[in-house]
Amino acid sequence: MLDCQKITDEIQSVLAAASDHSHEAIAAVHRDYLEAVREVNARLGVCRDLLARGQRSEAIRQCNAEPNLLDAVAILDFPDRTSWCDLLARQRLPRPPDLLIDAAADLNDAYTAEQPIERLLRNHRLLALARAPLPRRIQTLRAIRAADPENPIWERDLRDYENARLHELRCEMQAAVQAQDLGCLATLEQEVRARDWVEPVPQDLARRIIQAHGEVRQRAARQELGRLAGELNQAFSSFDLSRGRELRTRWNAAAAIGLTSDADELLEMAGPALEWLQQEDQQVQAGRQRESAVAALERTLEDFVEYHELERAWHAVRRSGGEIPVALQRRVAERFRYLEEASTRRHRFALAAIVLLVLAASAAIGLGVVRHLRARQVEEHAARMGSLVTGGELVQAQQYAENLQQSAPDICSEPEIQECLARIRKAVVEDQGRRARLTTCLDAVQARDASEPSWDSLAAAWQDLEEGKKLAKSDEELARVKTLELRISERRRQMQKAVDDRFLKDLTSLEADFSRVERTDLNEIAVLMARARQLQKQPHVSAELLGPIEPLIARLNAYRQAEADRDRERRQLERFTND
């Protein structure tokens, strides 16, 4: 295949000084470029057909054949291609065909989709070479199918593997039943119960495996119960309570599997020991309930609770059974007597309070009418001043207060009016503080605008502007804030443009070096990777410009990983061959 980089370099040389090149020289370069485009488009067409048939791995292999197809597309689709076509038109030479960019984009997407399953595919190949057991190979193939659900090949392969595995299951089940291999049968049951089979497990096979596992499991459990029954009786004979409880835990686990009925002979063998343990547990539980009831009663005595709460705690202790300490009985009796006397005193005080309230109500009726009229006046003046303050009309509120103090000084002595006057004075002071803070913020913005601009100073100026927006209220204040905001925005736009221009220049240089790098040159790939990551971390770059960096890093990683995987695969194949 022609050297695409050499051809594009020659085209760039022609475009730089077209007048110095003859028609024959331009035609010769055009023929080379035309042939290169046709070869690249032919390879792209083959890869596109492979992708359409679901053969993504083969398409990527064809793309990776030297020279790399995507690299060739990037070289031939150079930025000045439009200028080259215009020059060809002036020389009356045919326009070269367009590159199959859509097919190249599909190939690039295939690279992205292939990376997550590449390691799975390699493991699948190594398991096949090593003739690994079918369950391991099926598990790997299921993971590949889940990672690549759009490819129909994996489901077809998985059906073939699962059909072969179903034949193996019948033989393994028979061997496990003959050997009474409980672990093997448990594994087989777990396998047939799994929900990720593509080829359904026959119901008769699944039923036979589950039944065989249950029978062997029950037989093993009954053997364990027989041994535990003897040990339980020994613990009962020696009154070893801790040992008996430990054995009972193991007995309950095995009984859930091995006991067939309530009249099972194994249950009769262990019955006396189990009843003894149950009685011991009941005694311990009763003791704990009694201790809890006594503790609750002592807490009620310490907290001086009401009569009914103390009575409820006392009955709980009596219901728990056992002897109640004499000292506790004496404390409870004294507390009941104290609560009864206190209740009697409260009733007497309540009756006297009712009589006093009736007398006071009669005297208050006469004063109520006068106070009602005065209260209405106070309420109206307070509501008027409150509405003025709430509406921000502080000047009108001050005038209203001054008029009221002159016309009705007695009204101004009321607490509600005094509170409104204080509110007006506080609002005036707060408004003065607001205007002072606004002036400070806007003066700081003007000072930063006049100084040498930097990202930190612009950020601080923008923060001051945000604070100014919150403080500004009048039209004049809002207009001043808006003017400063436009000036700071223009400064920020200019700085952003300078940063983005530098970034684009560095990115163009990096992409040019990437198009010329050898895929096997790990040192150069590492240098390009470091440059790409440094570009990615440059501060203040517009987010939309960072888009090409991540795919470029992914391609570099793919080159490096592919070389490392090829080396690892060679070593593994050598080990399998030697074995």
Side-chain angles (χ1 to χ4, degrees), residues 67-311:
N68 183 273
L69 186 54
L70 291 181
D71 292 343
V73 171
I75 294 171
L76 294 176
D77 190 26
F78 58 96
D80 294 332
R81 192 173 188 272
T82 303
S83 301
W84 173 245
C85 292
D86 293 340
L87 177 60
L88 294 177
R90 291 195 298 270
Q91 295 290 329
R92 299 185 181 279
L93 294 172
R95 177 186 176 91
D98 293 333
L99 290 162
L100 300 179
I101 298 298
D102 292 342
D106 293 340
L107 266 178
N108 192 57
D109 294 340
Y111 268 105
T112 304
E114 186 78 4
Q115 286 180 357
I117 67 170
E118 185 174 356
R119 192 174 300 277
L120 292 172
L121 290 173
R122 187 174 297 106
N123 188 31
H124 181 54
R125 290 193 295 269
L126 292 176
L127 290 175
L129 289 172
R131 298 185 180 277
L134 273 179
R136 289 187 59 189
R137 298 168 68 179
I138 290 174
Q139 182 180 5
T140 302
L141 197 54
R142 285 171 178 167
I144 295 173
R145 177 174 174 265
D148 189 17
E150 302 298 329
N151 196 333
I153 294 176
W154 308 128
E155 183 171 347
R156 292 198 297 268
D157 290 349
L158 188 56
R159 287 185 183 276
D160 295 338
Y161 277 63
E162 288 182 352
N163 281 322
R165 178 57 183 159
L166 290 174
H167 290 296
E168 287 185 355
L169 284 175
R170 298 181 186 276
C171 300
E172 291 182 11
M173 178 197 66
Q174 295 174 359
V177 171
Q178 292 178 358
Q180 295 293 295
D181 190 341
L182 183 59
C184 180
L185 288 171
T187 302
L188 294 179
E189 180 178 349
Q190 183 179 5
E191 185 174 356
V192 298
R193 285 184 180 274
R195 297 180 179 273
D196 48 5
W197 285 81
V198 175
E199 190 68 26
V201 179
Q203 294 184 359
D204 63 326
L205 176 61
R207 183 170 56 253
R208 289 175 60 190
I209 290 176
I210 294 171
Q211 182 178 359
H213 179 218
E215 292 174 354
V216 174
R217 187 181 178 205
Q218 186 181 47
R219 188 177 298 109
R222 290 188 66 81
Q223 292 176 356
E224 176 71 6
L225 288 173
R227 186 178 60 81
L228 290 174
E231 294 183 9
L232 278 170
N233 288 327
Q234 291 178 1
F236 181 32
S237 301
S238 58
F239 294 100
D240 189 347
L241 188 58
S242 61
R243 175 63 176 168
R245 285 173 174 163
E246 177 187 352
L247 293 171
R248 182 179 59 181
T249 301
R250 293 162 56 187
W251 168 276
N252 290 336
I257 303 171
L259 290 182
T260 57
S261 66
D262 294 338
D264 197 296
E265 57 181 6
L266 292 173
L267 190 59
E268 293 180 0
M269 291 172 57
L274 294 175
E275 292 178 0
W276 164 65
L277 291 172
Q278 185 178 4
Q279 292 174 0
E280 292 293 333
D281 290 345
Q282 291 174 352
Q283 292 178 3
V284 171
Q285 182 65 22
R288 290 175 180 172
Q289 292 178 353
R290 176 174 174 74
E291 291 175 359
S292 177
V294 171
L297 178 59
E298 291 179 346
R299 285 195 299 272
T300 57
L301 291 173
E302 293 173 358
D303 296 342
F304 289 91
V305 298
E306 297 294 335
Y307 187 94
H308 65 280
E309 295 184 19
L310 178 62
E311 187 176 26

Side-chain angles (χ1 to χ4, degrees), residues 270-435:
L274 294 175
E275 292 178 0
W276 164 65
L277 291 172
Q278 185 178 4
Q279 292 174 0
E280 292 293 333
D281 290 345
Q282 291 174 352
Q283 292 178 3
V284 171
Q285 182 65 22
R288 290 175 180 172
Q289 292 178 353
R290 176 174 174 74
E291 291 175 359
S292 177
V294 171
L297 178 59
E298 291 179 346
R299 285 195 299 272
T300 57
L301 291 173
E302 293 173 358
D303 296 342
F304 289 91
V305 298
E306 297 294 335
Y307 187 94
H308 65 280
E309 295 184 19
L310 178 62
E311 187 176 26
R312 183 166 56 250
W314 170 247
H315 287 315
V317 172
R318 294 183 61 184
R319 285 195 303 271
S320 65
E323 184 178 356
I324 304 175
V326 176
L328 183 59
Q329 295 183 30
R330 187 179 300 111
R331 289 178 61 193
V332 172
E334 291 175 358
R335 182 58 55 81
F336 275 131
R337 186 165 49 254
Y338 171 79
L339 292 174
E340 290 173 355
E341 293 175 355
S343 177
T344 302
R345 288 194 297 270
R346 283 197 298 271
H347 285 305
R348 292 175 181 173
F349 289 148
L351 181 60
I354 291 172
V355 174
L356 291 175
L357 287 173
V358 171
L359 295 176
S362 300
I365 291 175
L367 296 174
V369 176
V370 176
R371 290 180 178 177
H372 177 69
L373 296 175
R374 186 179 179 87
R376 285 188 59 186
Q377 293 179 347
V378 171
E379 182 180 356
E380 290 175 356
H381 290 302
R384 177 58 180 163
M385 286 188 288
S387 64
L388 291 173
V389 174
T390 304
E393 301 176 7
L394 300 181
V395 176
Q396 293 84 341
Q398 286 180 306
Q399 293 176 354
Y400 189 92
E402 292 174 358
N403 295 334
L404 183 62
Q405 288 174 342
Q406 294 175 0
S407 61
D410 57 329
I411 295 294
C412 291
S413 63
E414 292 294 329
E416 293 86 347
I417 302 300
Q418 289 293 322
E419 183 179 352
C420 289
L421 295 176
R423 185 181 174 188
I424 293 172
R425 289 192 295 271
K426 181 180 178 182
V428 171
V429 172
E430 288 178 351
D431 189 65
Q432 292 173 350
R434 178 193 66 80
R435 291 198 299 270

